[in-house]
């Protein structure tokens, strides 16, 4: 019988995360303080992050030891299998080999716990009692609530009000893991109260929810803040995906020619590709492709400049490809990819030509998702389906050219929480949304010139 | 690091299912034709089942080869890991070791594809083009739609109308895998049309949906029927769970003292326990416990006698512990356990004292589910939580007695489709339902005396 999965034992799980800062030809420009516009130092971050994570944020050491307690929680679902997509290959009639890493096999259904678990651990070690964080559709809030349960850490989640009302399942999952979930804007914070005073029906936004979580953390000494993407330490934690994949490819004597990953804030792309990027920097011939929605085309259409991470301008300024923090992307179903910029590391690598980027409209993404669901059996998350679409197009190109090729992508999560989007697609009600370059220009014009 | 999971490679996956009919001290009484009351022969079943499955249904051969094509689909998620529930043990402070098999790691989230996949395969082999089946909450309909996709088989699902309207997510999942889902009663069948004529607002029932599916299959020569539990061949297919577990226990030099499994129709209990039951029949000291809801206490309160499998009296009469096919259990959240009887094999083994049975009310089940979610991280299905409750109580008893003990249970699925039930529980709105022994007496009085 032909094998479908390459598995590793827990003993074979990598014991260190990889920090690409040690190998980048050009390091990212330093983040700047939102007030002084001077480079941010560790002390600026200490009111909301533990020093251990701040040190990881600025570290240039290549390897970071994964604490034993984190390994023990990882072992609940890691190492994750590397799949050979034999049924998909057959359906496409391609000579290419398609592999994917399946990060949807943990109880939260996405790759996010790879970083929520160590973040919970380091905060607990630092004596922190509670984490405040935000969530849009609920994926990150789920991962943080899940992680909090293992370390006896309280978790407060500010969930964008419109999602809180429309997506009760994610809220219930967070509560089942012990998270306290508030519709944002809430009565808990000055930011929230002011927003409600101005408009009691304010539907909320991710920017507002971030501001509430940061305020909550900054004003309570026993409470810290946690972020699910963009930051360096988040990218480091996610490299467990790519490090495992390297071991798995080694086991079968293969190496990918090209890697596809969806890119929202960038931690998913970072996680699966950075260990391979190290080889690329050292001369190996491999293509690494970020796939984004045409409705929020940060890498393919954004400008490379300093911008804030949030709409409220509370975070440091970071050097990123950005559409402007006031740009509001259309309401596509891949909510995890609706961020106005990307991780500064990812942006620098893209700038240096080490990452390629492509963009697709959402109906094309769901065409690919459907092909995948009916061949591989897994209903993929809309975000992950961007990587699937990239891989399918590459496999069809290989077929045209009659080339054998090894294609690898990250299935960052399953789509069981996204079935309403599939219903729209199945019934022909899904439409492609349109990116408005004028709106981007307006948003970019509002940025400080640095 | 202490290992959490015992994993098998695909090469180590069992290549045969186990048929307990070869080893039972007393075989189950033969099923009887609903009209003639004579033992049913293969020809009676051939209008709705392929001969290969009918032969498995009546076989007394100990081992049944798993076809290569089925193994290939199984490999998408099998072998499933055997978990050591270290965090749960610690939380309970028990000297007992608790192990569980995790059957929720496939895209449908339950153990059902272990039999839907071979059923789809054998029907395809027999030249069948379409499967008609019923589903209550949607678990079996999902598994059948999923399986149909791999073998190019059309799947028609009659979904109880009240669930169709209340649980759109399961319907959408079925449709995404290619299933055609109809609210039952439907306009497709005489049974459905008659029900709608009598009452256009008929909310449907599992009994009615079975009748529609059987009629659809019986009246179309290219269409067969498929059932997700109760029947012998379904129990055989599910033994892949227990066979893998035996290999996994062997790897770590352990053997369970007691096994817990939820029991609805019985295939889950059969699947995890029958390979161990063989050892028990041969003299090994092991306890096998069926866990059921107090609201539908088939083994603990039912009568052992001939009854129909469905409310419409279309199926053969089977010798079972039954509450009467007209008994309507309260609307507990563990929909998969709301069946009026159990697999004839399970019932015979219970009659012979080889299986124990216990029953719990649903709030106790959810207490256990919550403990599990916050220690092991997995939100379990309400059905599976019956096994968890049994295991937790056993572990606490072991603690009281200061006994080391090896406890094993089957986690038959995750609870992501059941979050509405968790919301009820989390908000203190969940109530225990009450079993009505008088209603059972009435239902039993209506049964034919055979």
């Amino acid at each position: 019988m032909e094998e479908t999965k390459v598995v590793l034992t827990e003993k074979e799980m990598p014991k260190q995360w990889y920090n690409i800062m040690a190998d980048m030809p050009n390091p990212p420009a330093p983040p700047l303080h939102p007030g002084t516009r001077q480079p941010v130092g560790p002390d600026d971050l200490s009111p909301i992050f533990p020093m251990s994570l701040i040190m990881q944020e600025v570290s240039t050491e290549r390897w970071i030891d994964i604490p034993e307690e984190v390994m023990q929680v990882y072992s609940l679902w890691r190492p994750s299998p590397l799949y050979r997509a034999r049924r998909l290959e057959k359906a496409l009639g391609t000579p290419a080999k398609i592999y994917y890493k399946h990060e949807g096999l943990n109880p939260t259904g996405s790759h996010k716990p790879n970083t929520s678990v160590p973040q919970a651990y380091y905060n607990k070690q630092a004596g922190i009692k509670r984490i405040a964080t935000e969530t849009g559709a609920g994926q990150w809030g789920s991962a943080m609530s899940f992680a909090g349960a293992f370390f006896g850490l309280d978790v407060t989640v500010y969930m964008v009000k419109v999602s809180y009302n429309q997506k009760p399942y994610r809220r219930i999952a967070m509560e089942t893991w012990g998270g306290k979930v508030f519709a944002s804007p809430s009565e808990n914070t000055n930011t929230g109260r002011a927003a409600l005073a101005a408009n009691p029906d304010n539907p909320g936004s991710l920017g507002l929810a971030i501001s509430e979580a940061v305020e909550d953390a900054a004003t309570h000494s026993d409470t810290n803040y946690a972020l699910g993407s963009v930051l360096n330490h988040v990218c480091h934690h996610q490299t467990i995906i790519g490090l495992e994949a390297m071991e798995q490819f080694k086991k079968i004597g293969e190496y990918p020619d090209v890697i596809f990953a969806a890119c929202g804030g960038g931690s998913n792309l970072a996680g699966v590709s950075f260990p391979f990027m190290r080889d690329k920097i050292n001369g190996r011939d491999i293509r690494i492709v970020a796939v984004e929605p045409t409705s929020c085309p940060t890498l393919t259409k954004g400008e490379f400049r300093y911008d804030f991470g949030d709409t409220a301008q509370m975070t440091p300024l970071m050097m990123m490809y950005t559409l402007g923090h006031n740009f509001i992307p259309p309401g596509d179903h891949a909510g995890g990819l609706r961020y106005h910029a990307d991780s500064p590391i990812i942006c620098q690598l893209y700038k240096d030509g080490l990452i390629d980027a492509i963009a697709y409209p959402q109906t094309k993404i769901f065409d690919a998702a459907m092909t995948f669901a009916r061949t591989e059996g897994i209903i993929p998350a809309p975000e992950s389906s961007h990587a699937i679409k990239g891989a399918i197009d590459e496999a069809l190109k290989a077929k045209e050219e009659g080339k054998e090729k090894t294609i690898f992508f990250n299935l960052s999560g399953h789509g069981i929480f996204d079935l309403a989007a599939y219903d729209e697609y199945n019934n022909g009600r899904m439409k492609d949304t349109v990116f408005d370059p004028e709106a981007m220009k307006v948003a970019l014009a509002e940025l400080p010139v640095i």
Side-chain angles (χ1 to χ4, degrees), chain A residues 15 38 63 83 157 188 190 209 212 225 241 256 308 346 395 450:
Chain A
K15 290 169 186 58
Q38 293 304 304
W63 300 105
Y83 276 75
V157 182
N188 291 11
N190 288 332
E212 285 208 272
Y225 172 70
I241 304 171
F308 298 95
I346 293 282
I450 294 169

Side-chain angles (χ1 to χ4, degrees), chain A residues 15-321:
Chain A
K15 290 169 186 58
Q16 298 177 307
W17 294 298
Y18 170 58
N19 176 4
I20 199 166
M21 296 279 278
D23 295 304
M24 289 174 75
N26 300 301
L32 306 180
H33 191 283
T36 65
R37 311 269 156 104
Q38 293 304 304
V40 164
D43 288 348
D44 295 316
L45 300 171
S46 63
I48 58 165
F49 292 117
M51 199 45 72
S52 45
L53 286 177
I54 295 171
M55 287 297 111
Q56 288 185 13
E57 190 63 20
V58 300
S59 167
T60 53
E61 290 294 315
R62 184 170 291 120
W63 300 105
I64 300 166
D65 289 339
I66 307 177
E68 168 93 13
E69 292 86 342
V70 171
M71 295 282 282
Q72 203 71 61
V73 178
Y74 274 177
S75 76
L76 291 172
W77 74 93
R78 306 212 69 87
S80 73
L82 177 73
Y83 276 75
R84 170 89 182 267
R86 293 187 192 277
R87 289 170 191 279
L88 176 60
E89 290 171 15
K90 212 170 158 189
L92 300 175
T94 179
K97 292 176 191 167
I98 307 176
Y99 292 91
Y100 61 96
K101 192 79 170 151
H102 188 354
E103 289 294 313
L105 289 171
N106 67 70
T108 78
S110 86
H111 65 296
K112 295 286 182 188
N114 294 332
T115 183
S116 68
V117 169
Q119 289 194 52
Y121 167 78
Y122 289 116
N123 275 291
K124 181 73 181 181
Q125 287 297 104
I128 289 297
K129 302 270 181 270
R130 188 167 65 95
I131 294 289
T133 195
E134 75 287 336
T135 203
Q139 219 161 26
W140 171 244
S142 297
M144 202 63 237
S145 301
F146 169 79
F150 297 117
F151 297 104
L153 211 57
D154 291 338
V155 176
T156 301
V157 182
Y158 294 91
M159 184 172 190
V160 176
K161 195 194 275 173
V162 60
S163 296
Y164 182 94
N165 291 328
Q166 282 174 2
K167 305 194 172 185
Y169 268 36
R170 279 281 186 196
R171 169 186 57 77
I172 303 166
M174 290 185 255
E175 290 171 346
T176 300
W177 283 307
K180 293 238 178 331
V181 188
F182 295 94
S184 168
S186 77
E187 293 286 350
N188 291 11
T189 64
N190 288 332
T191 313
R193 285 186 292 267
L196 288 171
N199 173 15
D201 297 326
N202 188 320
S205 70
L206 200 57
L208 195 55
I210 293 177
S211 305
E212 285 208 272
V214 170
E215 181 186 326
D216 186 341
T219 54
H220 293 90
S221 62
D222 65 350
T223 302
N224 266 346
Y225 172 70
L227 192 64
S229 190
V230 180
L231 300 181
N232 299 352
H233 67 272
V234 178
C235 293
H236 305 341
H237 298 162
Q238 291 292 356
T239 61
I240 185 86
I241 304 171
L243 291 166
E244 284 180 4
M246 284 200 113
E247 287 307 308
Q248 288 163 316
F249 277 115
K250 207 178 289 172
K251 280 209 169 190
I252 53 171
E254 298 267 6
Y255 194 95
D257 295 305
V258 52
I259 300 178
F260 292 92
C263 186
S267 72
N268 167 56
L269 170 64
V272 68
S273 74
F274 280 2
F276 297 91
M277 180 65 81
R278 185 181 174 209
D279 288 354
K280 184 177 173 82
I281 291 168
N282 291 327
R284 181 124 199 179
D285 183 22
I286 174 172
R287 205 150 62 87
I288 294 169
V289 187
V291 190
E292 53 185 28
T294 47
S295 59
C296 190
T298 50
L299 294 174
T300 50
K301 305 262 182 170
E303 252 180 46
F304 190 55
R305 57 190 290 185
Y306 271 108
D307 192 4
F308 298 95
D310 66 331
T311 51
Q313 309 195 352
M314 291 175 73
T315 73
L317 288 147
M318 293 172 285
M319 194 69 181
M320 307 181 286
Y321 283 87

